[in-house]
Amino acid sequence: MRKPAGTVGLALNVQPGKALVMVLGTGSGQSNQEALELWVMQMLIERDLLPTRGAIPLLIESWKTP
């Protein structure tokens, strides 16, 4: 999940830190990167997608649309 999460994070300008840990999930991540990886994994599972380049636009759109 690191590569797709990294790409999404880069596209959305997610900064290092811990601000997203509670916002994106259960709070089990230790950093914004880990929280984003867990969120990406959850979104891929929910939408039955593979972690490929084709999923990136869908993940970005999911981020923007609550």
Side-chain angles (χ1 to χ4, degrees), residues 14-51:
V14 173
Q15 300 296 310
K18 296 182 179 185
L20 296 177
V21 173
M22 292 304 291
V23 175
L24 288 183
T26 63
S28 60
Q30 299 296 314
S31 66
N32 285 348
Q33 179 63 32
E34 284 184 27
L36 191 55
E37 289 172 16
L38 292 169
W39 179 83
V40 165
M41 184 169 57
Q42 179 183 354
M43 292 295 106
L44 292 174
I45 291 168
E46 286 179 11
R47 288 163 174 75
D48 197 25
L49 299 169
L50 295 174

